[in-house]
Amino acid sequence: MGAIASRIRGSFAFFCYFINTLFWVTPILVMSIFKLIPLAWTRKACTYFLDFCASAWISVNGAIENLLHPIKLTLEGDAQLSTKEWYMVIANHQSWVDILILQRVLNRKIPFLKFFLKQELIFVPVLGLAWWALDFPFMRRYSTAQLKRNPKLRGKDIEITRKACAKFKSKPVSVMNFVEGTRFHASKHGKQNSPFNHLLKPKAGGMAFALSAMGDHIHKLVNVSIYYPGKVPSYWEFISGQVDEVRVHIEVCDIDDKLRGDYIKDRQFKIQFQEQLNLIWQQKDQVLTQLAQPRETREEA
């Protein structure tokens, strides 16, 4: 595709996504006002309506993608999914495109995805308010220096996580967590001295706190591995038609009892949780190595 054609396609796709966002964000923001009414049945009804709008928003985005910049999406794995189940969803993180891919492959197959977001993202124009209305958990991380200056902040992020996840007990939900904590980059990989070929080291805290806060509601783990043949695309490269194929592997398993416990006070559990997550990450690394191979080679294996 020529550079000019690519720019035209990308610009038109961006315009369509923008209009679709405004169309669905409007009723989401209006309904969020009624959600402030302190009545349980009102809030629950509003939540169902808001999630319906959000799923429709994602569905139209998918239609725009198929029309303006279609990709070959290869799905692998034997995943039994349901919209009536509570899920913890984890995935490797390489690009903002990951979010679009996750939404496309999981939309209407499981409850609407709720992403853990950095607190600063609430100030993103339009989208920040929409994420707030949809009950996306906004997380605030405190640096070691901040904790030294103000010890009272210790444990504050955990309490925020618990309060955010408490909202998810009345209706099936999918809590999404990029456990690497940041997007993969070769420089980060080298700086960490990561033992994995395709992944950064996983951070256990956020996932452990969410599982603790949700209690027995979440008992299924959806493990998604995303691979981009060639190179990892930027958002612009994706919407301008410069991505031909994306390979995705989805695995669903029960959440082991070893992943439930007190991550703060129980040091033995903390060590055990990290070991279990490292094991999951080793398996994910192997899956990504397989996804990097041509389909014929994978089928022969």
Side-chain angles (χ1 to χ4, degrees):
M1 181 188 300
I4 295 178
S6 178
R7 289 196 191 99
I8 293 173
R9 177 179 293 195
S11 297
F12 185 58
F14 181 83
F15 174 76
C16 290
Y17 284 127
F18 178 74
I19 295 300
N20 185 46
T21 297
L22 289 182
F23 179 86
W24 289 107
V25 164
T26 299
I28 287 174
L29 294 182
V30 171
M31 184 55 67
S32 68
I33 297 174
F34 295 95
K35 198 174 179 182
L36 297 174
I37 299 174
L39 294 174
W41 69 270
T42 304
R43 288 180 174 176
K44 187 172 183 179
C46 288
T47 297
Y48 273 91
F49 177 80
L50 290 168
D51 283 355
F52 167 80
C53 289
S55 294
W57 178 7
I58 300 306
S59 294
V60 177
N61 278 347
I64 293 170
E65 176 191 311
N66 288 330
L67 181 64
L68 299 180
H69 54 100
I71 60 169
K72 178 184 177 183
L73 183 60
T74 303
L75 275 175
E76 298 184 4
D78 185 19
Q80 300 296 319
L81 301 172
S82 170
T83 57
K84 299 180 180 180
E85 182 65 82
W86 277 261
Y87 292 106
M88 169 65 69
V89 183
I90 60 174
N92 57 312
H93 193 19
Q94 306 159 85
S95 164
W96 282 108
V97 178
D98 299 340
I99 296 174
L100 301 179
I101 297 300
L102 285 166
Q103 289 175 331
R104 172 171 171 176
V105 300
L106 297 176
N107 189 42
R108 299 189 186 279
K109 296 179 181 177
I110 63 176
F112 184 72
L113 283 173
K114 311 283 186 175
F115 288 83
F116 279 86
L117 300 173
K118 295 178 181 179
Q119 189 180 42
E120 294 78 9
L121 292 178
I122 198 171
F123 299 109
V124 174
V126 182
L127 288 177
L129 287 174
W131 292 329
W132 167 81
L134 292 168
D135 286 331
F136 279 39
F138 286 92
M139 308 304 300
R140 182 168 184 177
R141 303 284 182 176
Y142 296 102
S143 66
T144 303
Q146 288 176 309
L147 292 175
K148 285 182 178 180
R149 287 195 300 269
N150 188 358
K152 292 182 180 180
L153 294 176
R154 193 174 300 278
K156 204 79 173 177
D157 53 348
I158 303 168
E159 189 59 32
I160 292 172
T161 303
R162 285 178 178 154
K163 287 182 179 179
C165 292
K167 300 176 182 178
F168 301 150
K169 293 182 179 181
S170 61
K171 176 183 177 295
V173 71
S174 303
V175 181
M176 175 67 217
N177 195 352
F178 288 118
V179 296
E180 291 166 292
T182 184
R183 284 170 285 173
F184 180 93
H185 192 275
S187 61
K188 297 176 185 176
H189 184 265
K191 188 176 181 179
Q192 281 191 355
N193 193 25
S194 173
F196 311 106
N197 294 318
H198 308 281
L199 302 163
L200 300 178
K201 294 179 180 179
K203 297 180 179 180
M207 180 177 171
F209 299 150
L211 288 175
S212 176
M214 291 297 295
D216 293 330
H217 282 79
I218 290 184
H219 55 270
K220 292 288 185 181
L221 180 69
V222 179
N223 186 1
V224 184
S225 301
I226 305 172
Y227 179 77
Y228 302 98
K231 71 167 187 172
V232 176
S234 66
Y235 175 75
W236 172 255
E237 289 170 336
F238 182 72
I239 68 172
S240 61
Q242 299 179 53
V243 178
D244 296 322
E245 180 186 6
V246 181
R247 299 171 187 169
V248 179
H249 182 276
I250 302 176
E251 179 184 4
V252 180
C253 62
D254 293 329
I255 294 177
D256 197 294
D257 288 339
K258 294 180 180 179
L259 295 177
R260 300 184 188 277
D262 192 333
Y263 191 80
I264 297 299
K265 298 179 181 179
D266 189 340
R267 178 171 174 76
Q268 186 58 41
F269 169 73
K270 185 175 182 178
I271 294 172
Q272 177 180 283
F273 190 99
Q274 186 67 61
E275 289 175 348
Q276 290 296 310
L277 187 55
N278 287 344
L279 181 60
I280 292 172
W281 234 234
Q282 289 174 8
Q283 296 168 346
K284 179 182 285 292
D285 205 40
Q286 294 172 2
V287 168
L288 288 168
T289 297
Q290 294 171 357
L291 290 176
Q293 301 173 358
R295 187 178 184 88
E296 297 76 15
T297 304
R298 299 201 302 277
E299 290 176 348
E300 290 176 1

